[in-house]
Amino acid sequence: MLDAGSKLLGADRAPWATGHGRLPAYPDARVVLVAENRAVVDLGGAPLPRLGSQVDVVPNHVCTSVNLVDDLWVEEAGGLRPWPVAARGLNC
């Protein structure tokens, strides 16, 4: 179970997708169910991470994710750096 749900990951799921998102560290894992604030993950047989562990999640549709966060974390040259969401909180 993730402390993220449809409000952050989005509820959209394309017909060709096998879940609501992916966990890069767990290639066979799929986000199989989302509620407003929680998501259920099928790890595809991988061992469970420790309770409270932080995992990376790649949502199928990023519009909702971008709308709700102040920064996106982007991997560049082997490292992570934040990209501020410039229009966050504005009535555009």
Side-chain angles (χ1 to χ4, degrees):
M1 177 153 318
L2 302 176
D3 185 17
S6 63
K7 288 183 176 182
L8 183 63
L9 300 175
D12 295 343
R13 197 188 91 175
W16 46 264
T18 58
H20 295 277
R22 302 275 197 251
L23 284 68
Y26 300 88
D28 293 329
R30 303 291 180 265
V31 178
V32 295
L33 180 68
V34 290
E36 283 188 0
N37 297 305
R38 299 287 182 261
V40 176
V41 177
D42 177 349
L43 287 172
L48 291 173
R50 274 190 47 206
L51 183 62
S53 297
Q54 182 174 326
V55 295
D56 294 327
V57 179
V58 178
N60 285 350
H61 190 169
V62 299
C63 292
T64 303
S65 303
V66 171
N67 184 53
L68 291 175
V69 299
D70 294 324
D71 298 296
L72 299 177
W73 286 89
V74 179
E75 184 174 356
E76 287 184 330
L80 292 175
R81 74 179 189 100
W83 280 2
V85 178
R88 175 84 166 117
L90 301 176
N91 287 333
C92 299

